[in-house]
Amino acid sequence: MSCVIPGCHNHAPHNLSVRLRRPDTTAIWAPNTEAFLCDTHAAQGLSITIILEPTTTAQIETKVCGIAPPTLDRITPISNIP
């Protein structure tokens, strides 16, 4: 897997994910994205913007934008509804 940072062709073992936690810290859902980072970019940090849009599909749709390729999408069913 290559790093998602434009122009970076390093091996990227680190997968970006999103997690929604309950107050006791257990996860309601925690899908991975299709975005991977190399060691260098994982260590140097990122600026992350999150846009939330409600759905009625009982799925979590993750889209990583502003990277190469322009959009990486993943849809994850919610299986641990409180």
Side-chain angles (χ1 to χ4, degrees):
M1 203 50 73
S2 291
C3 187
V4 298
I5 301 300
C8 181
H9 301 289
N10 292 337
H11 173 68
H14 309 292
N15 184 235
L16 184 64
S17 66
V18 179
R19 180 172 299 191
L20 179 66
R21 293 185 181 269
R22 294 181 183 91
D24 70 1
T25 73
T26 59
I28 294 172
W29 43 256
N32 289 335
T33 68
E34 294 300 318
F36 291 81
L37 292 170
C38 68
D39 288 337
T40 300
H41 288 111
Q44 87 182 42
L46 296 170
S47 173
I48 299 172
T49 301
I50 298 174
I51 299 171
L52 303 173
E53 299 175 84
T55 69
T56 58
T57 63
Q59 297 177 325
I60 302 301
E61 301 174 17
T62 56
K63 295 180 181 177
V64 179
C65 302
I67 58 176
T71 301
L72 301 173
D73 300 344
R74 185 170 189 163
I75 297 175
T76 305
I78 299 173
S79 59
N80 194 10
I81 297 173

